[in-house]
Amino acid sequence: MSDSSPRARQGARELLAALVRPDPSPPRLGIAVQAGLAMLLTVGLPALAGRVDLGLLASTGALSALYLSSRSRTERLRRLPLVQLGLLAAVALGTVSARLPALAPVVLVVTAGGAVVLVSGTAVGPPGALFPVLGAGVASRLTAPVSAGGAGLDPLLVIACATAGAVLALLVVIAPLALPAVRRRDRGRPIAPIRFALDAAGRTVVLRVSVAAVLSAVLAAVLGVERGYWVVVAVVAVLQAGRGRRLSGIRAVHRVAGTLVGAVVFVLVVGLIGLPAQGLLLAIALGVLQFGAELVIVAHYGAALILVTPLALLIAEAGSAGDPWVIAGSRVLDTALGCGVALVVLLGDHLVERLLRRPTAR
């Protein structure tokens, strides 16, 4: 009894340190530059032609430049198109659900479960299942009828723009292979074979994400959340981090805190570039935010969310004339709701594990 309080204080100090302390991170300047450049070109080139709207639609595909960032460029040339096909399939699936609003939560759950199975089984790594879920949700909203709260866009246009963004991202990623020095450096790096293997840790993650995706989709529908996919996105972001509950819990805190600060940054950026946002200024803002987020995301997830949040909100709402404070507040609430569901699932998983380990009375 006497030493329980010091142990509790020590545990609290360690948890606080884990929330604040940056993690070791490899150099990410090159990765950050290519990610920022992919976003800048994807939105900026159409903006030069006066069609920033098409650039924003293509930005979903441009996000694929973030995948397989730790692999050699030769390996990324071989494997990134497969990842991009999965992302584009999620976008297409989202457009299918647009005409049937009741089907949208089902599509989100199926996309989340399927994406996390494929990502875990093939060891794709970050950002994992996050962008397929986001892509499906955004595509559903963009192609839904205006009468149902959507933008009423042509599904083929949305899919075509996302495909164009993915192609441009691939070109940015592999462009350095034109240099002999880069090719020589890549020859010495092994290329992992493409195989599917879902171990015990992967199965645990899949189960948690699937259960939480169902709960969050149902909860968002019951509460009438306008953009329910943000809730599911938060669930996936927290629970796909790994099997460790502590890591997932820290990630949930980081996501809520980072989103809260990032929502304020979004309002400040909107004050500079305006809403609806137009032209190259928007493309530059998105490129800078993408660059900064990728530079720090390994070292501190919460700090990265301060930049990821305005990035995501600008992509989703740059064409809107809504109140930026309302948009930002909705995003914070959706994120908090999703993180809350994720923590409830982690707690339930812990309780079930304890019950299964309890010795049977004789």
Side-chain angles (χ1 to χ4, degrees):
M1 185 76 176
S2 60
D3 62 343
S4 61
S5 182
R7 279 203 303 267
R9 286 196 295 270
Q10 178 65 23
R13 284 195 295 269
E14 291 177 356
L15 179 59
L16 181 61
L19 289 170
V20 177
R21 183 181 58 240
D23 295 319
S25 173
R28 291 187 59 83
L29 180 60
I31 296 168
V33 168
Q34 83 178 14
L37 184 60
M39 184 60 68
L40 174 63
L41 293 176
T42 300
V43 181
L45 292 178
L48 289 175
R51 294 302 305 269
V52 71
D53 58 323
L54 298 182
L56 290 171
L57 292 177
S59 63
T60 302
L63 292 171
S64 62
L66 306 181
Y67 283 95
L68 306 171
S69 60
S70 63
R71 314 295 178 88
S72 69
R73 294 187 188 274
T74 304
E75 182 173 0
R76 296 183 81 187
L77 173 60
R78 297 182 184 182
R79 298 189 65 177
L80 187 56
L82 298 177
V83 176
Q84 291 176 322
L85 284 175
L87 176 59
L88 295 174
V91 171
L93 195 58
T95 65
V96 170
S97 70
R99 303 298 169 182
L100 297 171
L103 191 61
V106 178
V107 167
L108 282 176
V109 170
V110 171
T111 302
V116 78
V117 166
L118 291 174
V119 166
S120 299
T122 57
V124 167
L130 194 62
F131 292 149
V133 177
L134 179 62
V138 170
S140 178
R141 174 176 169 268
L142 289 174
T143 55
V146 176
S147 59
L153 298 182
D154 183 351
L156 292 180
L157 175 65
V158 173
I159 295 171
C161 287
T163 302
V167 171
L168 184 54
L170 180 62
L171 292 176
V172 170
V173 167
I174 66 173
L177 286 174
L179 301 175
V182 175
R183 293 198 300 273
R184 284 195 300 270
R185 189 162 58 245
D186 263 21
R187 290 193 195 105
R189 300 182 63 181
I191 297 178
I194 300 176
R195 58 165 64 102
F196 182 87
L198 197 61
D199 57 15
R203 291 193 294 271
T204 299
V205 171
V206 169
L207 180 60
R208 289 175 182 170
V209 170
S210 300
V211 171
V214 171
L215 293 176
S216 59
V218 170
L219 188 59
V222 170
L223 295 178
V225 176
E226 185 178 359
R227 293 170 177 78
Y229 58 88
W230 285 123
V231 183
V232 182
V233 163
V235 159
V236 173
V238 170
L239 296 180
Q240 73 170 359
R243 189 174 185 175
R245 296 189 191 92
R246 186 171 183 271
L247 174 61
S248 294
I250 290 173
R251 199 175 182 91
V253 176
H254 277 170
R255 191 156 192 94
V256 173
T259 300
L260 181 61
V261 179
V264 177
V265 175
F266 164 72
V267 174
L268 295 176
V269 173
V270 166
L272 293 175
I273 67 176
L275 200 66
Q278 298 295 326
L280 283 176
L281 192 57
L282 172 62
I284 293 170
L286 292 174
V288 170
L289 289 169
Q290 184 73 85
F291 168 80
E294 286 308 301
L295 199 61
V296 302
I297 195 166
V298 174
H300 200 283
Y301 184 68
L305 261 294
I306 296 174
L307 301 174
V308 169
T309 299
L311 172 71
L313 286 176
L314 282 173
I315 290 174
E317 306 292 344
S320 166
D323 185 335
W325 283 109
V326 173
I327 295 171
S330 297
R331 175 65 190 274
V332 171
L333 291 176
D334 294 345
T335 298
L337 184 60
C339 290
V341 171
L343 292 176
V344 168
V345 169
L346 288 174
L347 177 60
D349 177 62
H350 174 64
L351 294 176
V352 169
E353 185 179 273
R354 289 189 63 179
L355 286 173
L356 292 176
R357 288 182 177 179
R358 182 178 296 175
T360 306
R362 292 178 179 246

